[in-house]
Amino acid sequence: MTTSKTNDIEAKVKAIVVEQLDVRDEDVTPSKTFTEDLGADSLAIVELVLAFEEAFGLKIPDNEVDNIKTVGNAIDYIKKNATGAKSATGAN
Amino acid sequence: MGVLSPLGIGVDENWRRLCAGESGIGPITRFDVAEYPTKIAGEVRGFEATNWIAKKEIRQMDLFIQYGIAGAALAVADAGLDQSPVADPERFGVFVGAGLGGLSTLESTIAALKEKGPRHGISPYFVPAIIVNLAAGQISIRHGAKGPNLSHVSACSTGAHSIGEAFRTIVHGTADVMIAGGTESTVTPLGIGGFCSSRALSTRNDEPTRASRPFSASRDGFVLSEGCGILVLEELGHARARGAKIHAEIVGYGLSADAYHITLPPPGGEGAQRCMKMALRDAGIAPEQVGYINAHGTSTIADVTETQAIRAVFGGHAERVAVSSTKSMHGHLLGAAGGLEAAISVLALKHGILPPTINLDDPDPACDLDYVPHVARATQVEYAMSNSFGFGGTNAALIFRRAEF
C-alpha cells in the first residue's frame, strides 16, 4: 500500500467519525476511544462499523468489532484488511 | 402547553390563526402524489429539528418523535419547569402516544433493506426510531421525568386518552406533574395511501383550504395532518405552591368503546354518548354547565353521528351549547388531534373566545347545532368539553374548567 493510499484511509476514517458521531475534526486523533472520548454508545458503534464497511467495501466481524476501541484501531484494521481482502480475492 | 400543527409552531401562532379562521391545509410536498387520489394535507412548515435535538440524534428518531420532543419542550417551558425543575423526579411522568408511529422511517428502511440487504439496509436505530413509546421515552430522558411513562395507542383518540390517563394518574396520587398528549407524522405514502384506500380522505385537491368542512353537506372526507399537542398537567396544590401559570383546570374524563365496528360509529353514536356522560359524571357537573364543545368533527359521515350523540347527552341544552370543529382549520392530526384540541379548548376558556368551524357554507340538514360558523366568537364559558373518537370504536372525552384568577 502506498503512503497516499494510507493517508486516504486515515482521512476517510476521520471524516466518517466526524459525520457519524458529530464531533469536531481536531478531536479525532488515533488515540481517542470511541466510547469514552468521542461519546459513542453501543448503537453508535454499530452504525460506525457499518459506515466503515460501506466506505471501504469490507465486512468487519462482530468479534473484531470488540477490538476496535480507538480511531487508531479502526485505521489499522481497515489498512490491514482492505488490502488483505483485495490480495486474497484478487478483486479490484 | 406545546403544539405543532399545520397552523404553526407554538401556542401563540396556532391561536392567532384559529381566531382568524385560517386554514393550514395545502398541497403535499413530502413525496410525489401523482398516483394518489388525495394530493393535499396539513404539513407542519418551518420545523427545524436542530432547534430541539442534537444533530447526531436526529437520524435516530422518526419525525413523530422529533415533533413530540419539540412540543414537550415548549410545554415544559410554558409551565416554567425549565426554570424550576420538579422537586421529586419520581413523581414526574410522561404519557405521550401516537396513533401509528414511525411510518416514514419504516418506509425508507424497507426500501433500503431491498436495496442493500439486512446488514447495511437496517440502521441499529431502526427499532427505537419507529416504536410509539420512544416519544414518551425520549421526552423523559430530556426532562429527567422518572415517574410513570407510557404511550397509549388509540388511533384518533390517543392524545385525549393520554391526557385523561395522566389526569387520573395525578388524581390517584401516583404523580405530581405529567407531560401528556399525542404526536403524529404520517404524511407519507403509506399514511396518505392507507386512508385513500379506505376512502376516508377528501379529494378536494383544487381548493385545499376549503377541503376540511365538518358538518357541511358537501364534505367528502377528512384531511390528514401532522404535528403534536402536549400539555403539562399538575396537581393543583403543587402548581400553586411553586407559583405556576395555570391555564385551566382539567376536571373530567370519560372513555368508552363502541363494541360495534372497526371504523364506523354505531347508530346515534351510542358509545360516544356514554363517553361524554362519563366525563360529565367525573366532573360532577350538569350538561347545562358546558358552554363549548370542541367536536371530533372530522368532515366525514360521522359528523352526523356526533351531532346525534351531543343531542342525546345534552337534551335541550344542545340548542344552546357552542360546538366547533377546529379540524376545519388544522385538519386531522390522528393521534395528536386530541392533544391539540385539548390545548385549543383550554385556550378558548382562558381567552373567552370560541374558535370557529370554517368552510360551513352549506350545513348538512342532519347537522343542526350551533357550530360557530366561519368566525370566532367572544364568549366566556366556564366548562369546555373536547371529544375524540378513534378507529376500533374507542372514545375519549375531556372536560376543562376555566381557571379562577
Side-chain angles (χ1 to χ4, degrees), chain A residues 6-43:
Chain A
T6 304
N7 290 341
D8 282 353
I9 287 177
E10 285 184 21
K12 214 165 168 183
V13 166
K14 281 184 79 169
I16 290 168
V17 173
V18 166
E19 168 67 21
Q20 293 284 326
L21 302 182
D22 194 26
V23 289
R24 291 184 308 177
D25 187 65
E26 58 265 37
D27 290 337
V28 184
T29 55
S31 65
K32 292 288 172 67
T33 62
F34 292 118
T35 48
E36 286 86 2
D37 297 330
L38 300 174
D41 60 20
S42 61
L43 295 180

Side-chain angles (χ1 to χ4, degrees), chain B residues 147-193:
Chain B
N149 193 278
L150 290 169
S151 289
H152 300 81
V153 177
S154 55
C156 309
S157 301
T158 295
H161 276 131
S162 301
I163 292 167
E165 294 299 323
F167 167 50
R168 284 194 170 177
T169 299
I170 291 173
V171 169
H172 188 69
T174 312
D176 295 322
V177 184
M178 295 292 295
I179 297 172
T183 184
E184 200 82 85
S185 175
T186 64
V187 184
T188 75
L190 275 179
I192 293 287

Side-chain angles (χ1 to χ4, degrees), chain B residues 32 38 89 99 109 127-128 148 150-151 154 163 213-214 217 224 252 264 280 292 310 345 347 359 374-375 381:
Chain B
D32 180 3
T38 292
T109 303
V127 174
L150 290 169
S151 289
S154 55
I163 292 167
R213 47 177 74 186
L224 186 74
L264 297 175
L280 289 165
Y292 171 64
I310 290 170
S345 302
L347 291 166
N359 300 327
H374 307 301
V375 291
V381 301

Side-chain angles (χ1 to χ4, degrees), chain B residues 81-163:
Chain B
L81 291 172
D82 51 343
Q83 303 300 323
S84 61
V86 177
D88 183 354
E90 293 179 29
R91 294 181 58 77
F92 179 21
V94 184
F95 287 177
V96 173
L100 275 160
L103 279 193
S104 62
T105 305
L106 194 60
E107 292 169 11
S108 60
T109 303
I110 290 170
L113 169 64
K114 285 184 178 166
E115 189 195 329
K116 298 179 178 177
R119 186 170 176 89
H120 287 274
I122 306 175
S123 161
Y125 295 105
F126 169 66
V127 174
I130 68 153
I131 54 181
V132 170
N133 76 296
L134 254 289
Q138 288 277 11
I139 291 166
S140 74
I141 292 164
R142 281 166 167 71
H143 298 286
K146 297 186 173 181
N149 193 278
L150 290 169
S151 289
H152 300 81
V153 177
S154 55
C156 309
S157 301
T158 295
H161 276 131
S162 301
I163 292 167

Side-chain angles (χ1 to χ4, degrees), chain B residues 205-271:
Chain B
N205 298 318
D206 50 347
E207 38 179 2
T209 62
R210 296 185 41 77
S212 183
R213 47 177 74 186
F215 312 114
S216 163
S218 55
R219 68 194 186 280
D220 71 332
F222 76 83
V223 174
L224 186 74
S225 289
E226 61 171 3
C228 72
I230 294 176
L231 274 54
V232 170
L233 304 186
E234 186 167 1
E235 195 274 323
L236 188 57
H238 193 271
R240 282 183 173 149
R242 67 178 185 91
K245 177 168 60 181
I246 298 171
H247 294 301
E249 191 180 350
I250 180 167
V251 293
Y253 170 44
L255 68 168
S256 70
D258 294 337
Y260 178 75
H261 185 269
I262 53 170
T263 59
L264 297 175
E270 181 271 336

Side-chain angles (χ1 to χ4, degrees), chain B residues 343-392:
Chain B
I344 292 169
S345 302
V346 166
L347 291 166
L349 290 170
K350 185 183 170 185
H351 295 293
I353 298 172
L354 308 182
T357 305
I358 66 165
N359 300 327
L360 190 53
D361 293 327
D362 57 339
D364 184 331
C367 296
D368 53 358
L369 301 173
D370 170 10
Y371 299 112
V372 195
H374 307 301
V375 291
R377 182 185 302 163
T379 304
Q380 187 60 69
V381 301
E382 291 302 308
Y383 291 93
M385 175 183 276
S386 182
N387 282 338
S388 296
F389 311 129
F391 275 9

